Amino acid sequence: MKKILIALLLLISTNVVNHVYAQVRSDLRQRIGEIRKNNIESQSPLSELRLDESQKQRLRSINSMFDVLISGLRKEVKRMKLEIELEKLNDKVDVEKINKLFDRIAQTQASIWKETFKKEQEIKSMLNERQLITHEKIINRSFRNAKKANPINKR
């Protein structure tokens, strides 16, 4: 009887310790996630703009609409490129069809550029003077970083 009680007590205490350990570990993971999120947000170029809540909401709206539209256009470009590759695999290549696909890809790519420009104009229209200057600095910095990361002339 004594052995059974000791075994039950050990079993219960082990379960309690495991539960507490799992809860502490879960809390720790959550805190680490929050810290990472805060670090990312504080390092974000958007934090440099110091947007108020209405501007942040408008920016989210602009970005979400842009993302939905552009993702569809990018999928369309990818589909047309695959169609071109498929056509090239045929024994008798239909050059006219491939040329039409190239033209449609160019039109779709132009639409992407237009929408990107439109998005930038919408963002600029909601910023004040100080924010506009900071925005231009961020854009220029990102272009410089992109050029450094991906140089055109590799010698």
Side-chain angles (χ1 to χ4, degrees):
M1 184 73 171
K2 212 176 193 185
K3 289 180 183 179
I4 294 174
L5 286 174
I6 291 174
L8 282 174
L9 185 62
L10 283 174
L11 185 64
I12 292 172
S13 63
T14 304
N15 284 339
V16 169
V17 168
N18 284 338
H19 178 72
V20 169
Y21 175 73
Q23 194 172 11
V24 167
R25 194 168 175 194
S26 174
D27 290 344
L28 185 61
R29 282 185 183 163
Q30 185 178 3
R31 287 183 190 147
I32 289 172
E34 289 172 2
I35 290 170
R36 284 184 182 160
K37 183 180 174 187
N38 289 339
N39 284 343
I40 289 170
E41 287 176 358
S42 66
Q43 293 172 355
S44 166
L46 288 178
S47 66
E48 293 179 44
L49 289 176
R50 296 187 177 125
L51 300 173
D52 61 30
E53 283 306 313
S54 65
Q55 288 175 317
K56 286 179 185 177
Q57 183 61 34
R58 180 131 186 256
L59 184 62
R60 280 188 214 107
S61 171
I62 291 170
N63 282 333
S64 66
M65 288 174 20
F66 176 78
D67 290 343
V68 168
L69 178 65
I70 294 303
S71 69
L73 292 174
R74 286 186 179 142
K75 285 179 186 175
E76 191 175 328
V77 168
K78 192 179 282 186
R79 184 189 54 77
M80 287 186 281
K81 286 181 179 179
L82 289 173
E83 209 172 316
I84 288 171
E85 292 303 316
L86 183 65
E87 187 63 34
K88 287 180 183 178
L89 293 175
N90 290 338
D91 293 336
K92 188 175 180 185
V93 176
D94 187 357
V95 176
E96 186 176 321
K97 181 177 180 181
I98 290 176
N99 286 338
K100 286 180 182 178
L101 286 169
F102 280 134
D103 290 340
R104 286 181 39 210
I105 288 172
Q107 288 174 345
T108 307
Q109 191 63 46
S111 296
I112 291 172
W113 292 337
K114 289 174 186 176
E115 290 300 323
T116 303
F117 179 75
K118 181 180 169 185
K119 173 192 165 196
E120 283 299 316
Q121 294 306 308
E122 283 186 57
I123 290 172
K124 287 179 181 180
S125 72
M126 69 177 216
L127 300 176
N128 62 34
E129 252 182 80
R130 182 191 53 78
Q131 291 169 331
L132 273 173
I133 293 168
T134 305
H135 182 263
E136 288 301 317
K137 287 179 183 177
I138 292 169
I139 297 296
N140 290 335
R141 186 173 56 219
S142 67
F143 280 137
R144 281 194 312 271
N145 291 341
K147 285 182 182 178
K148 286 179 186 175
N150 200 6
I152 295 172
N153 297 328
K154 294 181 181 176
R155 295 179 190 198

